[in-house]
Amino acid sequence: MTSKTLGLVMPAFGAALIAAASQLTIPLGSIPFTLQTLAVGLVATLFQKREAVLSLLLYLFLGAVGLPVFAGGSGGLAALIGPAAGFLWGFLAYAALTSALVSPKSSALAIFFANLLGDSLTFVLGMLGLMFLAKMSAAAAFLSGVLPFILPDLGKLAIITFLAKALSKTLKNEGYFK
Amino acid sequence: MTNRLIGYYGGDGFLYRLSGASKLLFLLLASIACMTTYDTRLILFIGILSLILFRMAHVRWQDISFVIKFISFFALLNVIVVYLFAPAYGEQIYGAKTVLFEGWGRFYLTSQELFYLFNLSLKYFSTVPLALLFLLTTHPSQFASSLNQIGVPYKVAYAVSLTLRYIPDVQEEFYMIRMSQEARGLELSAKAKLLDRIKGNLQIVLPLIFSSLERIDTVSTAMELRRFGKNKKRTWYTYKKFSTYDLLAIALACLLFTASLLLFLLNHGRFYNPWA
């Protein structure tokens, strides 16, 4: 069953999932590991392009009006034009690109590389944001905004791939995910 | 067990009686004004105004202390990172160099850099209270009707409302699944090894998504059965007509926004430069 109403409810759920995941922190030693990127990746992989993009737009909008839905419980317009704004807008690009590249029949490798491209786009936009909004040099933006996150994000991408494959197997019966 | 960072708390008073739409417009315009300007005088004015409004709303500290601490931490982190990567930025902006502390290498401290970082911090502490106020004094159900009132299509506005309702549900579901798994022997606390913890938390994601998809199906079917979306317009149970105070609030927001534009011209840029 696909309908216009489903096309509205699905992004609402997607945004809620990302918002809830952004607030969850799993303690791995002394490094807080939020599930924000993981949730964005899952939404981008499982949803079709329209619903994926709408989910992110909805999420960004809620954060813009002050709801504490961004990582660490922050929010407000400040986050959307502050130093880390590039990453938030990058998530939107991530969702658009990855959902366009992935289909329910994609192989695990295709899913991983689609998410890798999406995540890389997030980092590129994040770096641009740091350069123009926080007045950093390119090297400084890379060192502070990209380098520390490469390994953790590769791990998250692997997890996204695993979860997406597991989920898409069992979601074949759902009309939307065919 | 609900992981409730913040939410609506019922109450009486001026701010609770304002329409959500006027509060939203005020929040957006004041935030934009505050974020785009670096004129200390305007930022201070908005900050003081937001503190006064906070007092009027009788917000209890324990309701918001967690969020305040969290945001303060991130604001501090932001200031530190900006300084570490651009310790000379203040000089470039204000065109003067008054060294307060020689430091080591490029990490010296000037009055100009300090003033810039002060403005940066002030922005956080001026806009965050406004955002918190909006959340604390606006009923979530009124949120969607407010959006529709300011021109957002009602279907989009309703999607926002749905998301707001889903967030605590997703959180609740997550904790319920986690506790169920732990009751069946899954160890997720610090006692377990790192890899086991990662694996364990992943086992929560699958049932979480399935139960959420089930909810999506149920909700969208129920909405269709109630003929959602069949007409171009709809009425709102939680609608509030604009009162005189709402119009005054919107006028004040427009004034603040205009002030930031005028100061932009007056200062020949975004920055108020006491060294000019």
Side-chain angles (χ1 to χ4, degrees):
Chain A
M1 179 266 292
T2 51
S3 68
K4 291 179 181 176
T5 308
L6 186 69
L8 193 79
V9 176
M10 189 76 78
F13 156 69
L17 183 69
I18 299 168
S22 298
Q23 291 172 7
L24 294 171
T25 305
I26 301 172
L28 302 178
S30 57
I31 304 169
F33 180 87
T34 77
L35 300 178
Q36 187 184 42
T37 307
L38 192 84
V40 172
L42 272 180
V43 165
T45 305
L46 294 173
F47 284 19
Q48 290 171 26
K49 183 169 184 179
R50 176 185 170 276
E51 279 75 34
V53 170
L54 284 181
S55 294
L56 268 297
L57 282 174
L58 203 44
Y59 173 69
L60 292 179
F61 173 76
L62 290 179
V65 298
L67 283 154
V69 294
F70 295 147
S74 56
L77 277 175
L80 286 180
I81 59 175
F87 292 97
L88 292 170
W89 293 108
F91 283 144
L92 183 59
Y94 182 172
L97 178 63
T98 300
S99 58
L101 294 175
V102 168
S103 78
K105 297 176 176 59
S106 297
S107 68
L109 201 63
I111 292 173
F112 182 83
F113 277 111
N115 276 276
L116 186 63
L117 276 178
D119 205 32
S120 302
L121 190 52
T122 301
F123 281 122
V124 169
L125 292 177
M127 266 186 67
L128 289 175
L130 288 173
M131 288 166 65
F132 290 106
L133 297 168
K135 309 302 174 187
M136 293 187 184
S137 65
F142 180 79
L143 284 175
S144 68
V146 178
L147 196 59
F149 299 102
I150 290 177
L151 284 182
D153 268 39
L154 282 176
K156 291 179 189 179
L157 295 185
I159 292 168
I160 290 166
T161 303
F162 168 79
L163 285 176
K165 286 307 288 182
L167 281 161
S168 58
K169 275 172 188 159
T170 46
L171 290 174
K172 272 185 284 190
N173 300 316
E174 294 276 340
Y176 174 80
F177 295 98
K178 277 173 181 162
Chain B
M1 176 199 302
T2 51
N3 180 30
R4 196 151 171 264
L5 277 177
I6 202 158
Y8 174 74
Y9 294 89
D12 300 317
F14 170 69
L15 287 169
Y16 295 94
R17 287 193 296 269
L18 283 180
S19 162
S22 64
K23 281 185 281 194
L24 180 57
L25 279 176
F26 185 93
L27 171 65
L28 292 178
L29 289 175
S31 292
I32 290 168
C34 199
M35 275 302 131
T36 53
T37 188
Y38 273 88
D39 192 307
T40 316
R41 300 164 293 187
L42 180 59
I43 304 174
L44 270 176
F45 178 79
I46 295 177
I48 292 169
L49 177 65
S50 59
L51 289 183
I52 292 171
L53 293 173
F54 232 85
R55 294 282 299 154
M56 290 177 66
H58 306 298
V59 175
R60 297 177 303 175
W61 168 250
Q62 59 264 33
D63 293 336
I64 59 173
S65 61
F66 179 74
V67 170
I68 292 288
K69 288 167 186 168
F70 232 10
I71 293 176
S72 299
F73 172 77
F74 277 96
L76 180 64
L77 210 59
N78 181 22
V79 166
I80 290 173
V81 169
V82 168
Y83 171 74
L84 287 179
F85 284 99
Y89 188 52
E91 288 169 52
Q92 301 170 35
I93 299 169
Y94 302 112
K97 181 176 179 178
T98 312
V99 177
L100 300 175
F101 179 65
E102 279 298 334
W104 168 73
R106 63 195 287 264
F107 294 113
Y108 53 88
L109 185 65
T110 62
S111 299
Q112 289 76 29
E113 182 76 3
L114 207 56
F115 187 66
Y116 170 71
L117 295 175
F118 171 69
N119 283 310
L120 208 58
S121 312
L122 210 54
K123 286 165 176 279
Y124 276 99
F125 296 107
S126 296
T127 53
V128 166
L130 288 180
L132 293 180
L133 269 178
F134 177 71
L135 294 177
L136 293 164
T137 63
T138 307
H139 196 284
S141 298
Q142 207 186 120
F143 198 62
S145 63
S146 301
L147 287 174
N148 194 215
Q149 207 171 342
I150 64 174
V152 177
Y154 80 83
K155 291 178 184 178
V156 175
Y158 204 73
V160 173
S161 186
L162 284 176
T163 302
L164 286 172
R165 293 161 185 259
Y166 276 153
I167 292 175
D169 286 348
V170 173
Q171 288 170 333
E172 183 79 15
E173 198 81 27
F174 181 87
Y175 284 105
M176 202 182 308
I177 294 169
R178 183 163 85 171
M179 283 189 289
S180 298
Q181 303 267 29
E182 286 181 338
R184 290 170 174 79
L186 192 64
E187 179 62 72
L188 295 175
S189 68
K191 299 172 195 166
K193 279 181 290 183
L194 192 76
L195 223 61
D196 287 340
R197 262 184 284 158
I198 294 177
K199 201 184 302 177
N201 279 283
L202 290 183
Q203 288 179 248
I204 300 174
V205 177
L206 291 177
L208 175 64
I209 291 192
F210 286 127
S211 61
S212 299
L213 289 176
E214 188 177 345
R215 186 190 306 273
I216 289 174
D217 244 7
T218 304
V219 170
S220 61
T221 305
M223 284 167 67
E224 292 220 333
L225 287 171
R226 289 161 175 79
R227 296 177 60 78
F228 177 86
K230 297 305 173 185
N231 295 305
K232 289 191 173 174
K233 285 185 179 178
R234 61 164 287 168
T235 56
W236 294 93
Y237 180 77
T238 54
Y239 176 81
K240 269 189 183 177
K241 190 179 294 185
F242 279 156
S243 68
T244 306
Y245 293 111
D246 289 305
L247 298 177
L248 287 176
I250 293 171
L252 177 57
C254 293
L255 270 182
L256 290 174
F257 187 75
T258 306
S260 74
L261 295 182
L262 290 179
L263 287 172
F264 185 86
L265 297 175
L266 195 66
N267 294 326
H268 306 292
R270 298 198 295 159
F271 298 95
Y272 161 66
N273 192 345
W275 290 276

